[in-house]
Amino acid sequence: MLTDTFGRTHDYLRISITDKCNLRCSYCIPYDLPHGYYAHSKRMTPEEIQAIAKVFVQLGIKKIRITGGEPLVRKEFRKIIRLLSELPVELALSTNGVLVNEFLDDIKQARVVSVNVSLDSLETEIFSNITRRDHYERVFSNIRLLVENDFRVKVNTVVMKGINENEIPSFIALTKEIPIHIRFIEYMPFLGNGWNKDRVITCDKILDIIRASYSFGKLNDPAHSTSKNFRVHGYRGAFGIITTMSAPFCEDCNRLRLTADGKMKNCLFGKEEMNLLEALRNNEDISSLILQSVKNKHARMGGQFGNGYQSADPKNIVNRSMIGIGG
Ligand code: SAM
């Protein structure tokens, strides 16, 4: 039912449950909007999140990822994950890892099997410079905790020129003994995040860096995978590259998004939003709005960056910040 005009069927919904975060990553939170958070009354309540998610599930959503902001800082996180676990879907979580040890049991009880953790540096000082917080040890020990507890763990690393590309081989080294999947993400442009095309380290460049130190092979990419995946011969973990900028994968997109203030986005880069929360609060039928939003989906990149990322002008990007969308 959630099929757009280009024949893409959508069965994966990412729900942001807060636009707050306990880190301050410069590429995610606008420099000039320190505390532009939604008013409490504008955020979906746990019950509203469940009600909207339920309609999506009736329309064909099979997997829901809980994200943010940082989902574990939402006071009602436990209730939200419990309510979502009542729906017949696969649940997944994206987190910066800082609070994982406090919520491990809740995540387990909700049948979450896959957890994505952000980690952009393996050096304490660089981690603190990027995140403006000193939580490196906590994040790293929580990644180990998740692995020990048999979660499928993906580590997301945004690669930015002059900041962390020299650490790519160290990230690969981690996959020798630890069965994690490191995903290097090409730096993407959002409102006020300091992006420019020269700071993007592309997939080709990342692979060149890895090739200089490691011999690796291509893995089969699962359906709708956002990453091109590889493994160093004999290593337990794997790595992948999310090529959003240099080789967008829009033709295979199966993802929809719901922001913490209840707006549906049919694409990470989409300008248009559908206000599902307002409709729900007015007792209106939201399924027709969801279907309409799916029909409105552009072929590529939300209709932005028509000539590729090289010609993108960050000043002309119409979108929220990443923290406001939900990654
Ligand atoms: N707080 C959670 C976390 O850290 O995973 C969920 C939200 S975060 C916005 C989701 C993902 O988006 C993170 O892996 C983050 O690195 C990524 N991200 C944020 N801004 C980005 C950007 N400008 N380019 C590429 N990835 C970005």
Side-chain angles (χ1 to χ4, degrees):
M1 270 195 270
L2 294 171
T3 302
D4 68 13
T5 54
F6 303 94
R8 294 172 294 201
T9 297
H10 300 78
D11 59 6
Y12 180 10
L13 175 67
R14 303 172 71 102
I15 303 181
S16 171
I17 64 169
T18 180
D19 64 334
K20 294 187 177 160
C21 190
N22 44 1
L23 299 183
R24 288 285 175 279
C25 306
S26 52
Y27 56 77
C28 186
I29 301 183
Y31 298 122
D32 50 356
L33 292 178
H35 289 293
Y37 301 127
Y38 312 134
H40 186 69
S41 61
K42 293 208 167 144
R43 278 191 332 208
M44 298 182 287
T45 64
E47 290 77 12
E48 287 168 340
I49 292 172
Q50 191 198 38
I52 296 177
K54 206 172 194 170
V55 179
F56 273 101
V57 172
Q58 282 158 359
L59 292 171
I61 290 297
K62 297 196 169 57
K63 175 174 173 183
I64 292 179
R65 175 172 298 280
I66 304 170
T67 179
E70 169 50 37
L72 301 184
V73 302
R74 173 96 189 234
K75 287 201 178 63
E76 300 123 321
F77 172 76
R78 289 193 168 91
K79 184 168 184 187
I80 293 168
I81 198 168
R82 184 172 50 72
L83 289 175
L84 288 176
S85 73
E86 291 171 5
L87 303 178
V89 280
E90 178 189 332
L91 274 189
L93 175 72
S94 286
T95 171
N96 59 33
V98 176
L99 297 173
V100 157
N101 51 312
E102 293 178 29
F103 293 95
L104 196 69
D105 290 342
D106 308 277
I107 300 169
K108 271 187 190 171
Q109 274 160 26
R111 299 176 286 101
V112 171
V113 285
S114 138
V115 180
N116 292 0
V117 184
S118 302
L119 180 64
D120 301 321
S121 176
L122 299 170
E123 296 180 26
T124 317
E125 200 179 324
I126 296 174
F127 177 95
S128 302
N129 288 343
I130 296 172
T131 63
R132 290 176 257 171
R133 296 290 182 272
D134 293 328
H135 293 321
Y136 172 75
E137 271 80 19
R138 282 166 73 168
V139 173
F140 200 79
S141 72
N142 277 334
I143 289 174
R144 286 193 176 276
L145 183 69
L146 286 164
V147 171
E148 282 156 18
N149 280 273
D150 296 326
F151 287 96
R152 233 170 35 227
V153 180
K154 291 181 186 165
V155 171
N156 285 337
T157 304
V158 181
V159 186
M160 293 162 288
K161 189 167 193 168
I163 308 277
N164 60 354
E165 82 264 41
N166 61 335
E167 292 192 57
I168 291 171
S170 310
F171 276 100
I172 300 292
L174 284 182
T175 66
K176 183 172 186 184
E177 302 296 345
I178 313 177
I180 48 177
H181 191 115
I182 309 270
R183 299 188 314 168
F184 299 108
I185 310 179
E186 292 177 348
Y187 183 17
M188 302 180 229
F190 295 98
L191 178 72
N193 79 344
W195 182 92
N196 78 60
K197 64 177 171 40
D198 300 328
R199 297 185 69 195
V200 177
I201 305 282
T202 61
C203 174
D204 287 348
K205 175 75 182 153
I206 293 171
L207 287 176
D208 282 348
I209 293 172
I210 299 171
R211 221 171 266 124
S213 313
Y214 295 96
S215 159
F216 58 87
K218 182 83 187 69
L219 299 176
N220 288 331
D221 299 329
H224 308 295
S225 173
T226 53
S227 54
K228 297 175 176 52
N229 301 300
F230 308 85
R231 187 191 306 278
V232 175
H233 302 301
Y235 279 22
R236 294 183 72 197
F239 69 94
I241 305 178
I242 300 186
T243 61
T244 316
M245 294 288 96
S246 66
F249 28 84
C250 305
E251 51 300 321
D252 193 34
C253 182
N254 67 337
R255 288 174 296 282
L256 300 172
R257 292 168 190 270
L258 184 63
T259 62
D261 59 342
K263 312 261 172 61
M264 173 177 171
K265 282 175 84 76
N266 56 24
C267 170
L268 180 57
F269 296 106
K271 303 175 201 169
E272 300 90 8
E273 299 182 347
M274 194 62 92
N275 195 338
L276 302 185
L277 181 58
E278 186 180 72
L280 183 84
R281 288 181 178 176
N282 291 335
N283 288 319
E284 290 161 19
D285 165 42
I286 63 166
S287 56
S288 56
L289 299 181
I290 294 172
L291 293 171
Q292 187 56 53
S293 173
V294 170
K295 292 282 177 247
N296 293 347
K297 183 159 171 160
H298 291 266
R300 279 166 65 92
M301 305 292 271
Q304 307 209 61
F305 327 120
N307 299 317
Y309 84 94
Q310 304 262 13
S311 61
D313 180 348
K315 288 193 293 298
N316 294 337
I317 293 164
V318 183
N319 203 352
R320 299 180 182 218
S321 59
M322 181 61 133
I323 192 166
I325 301 169

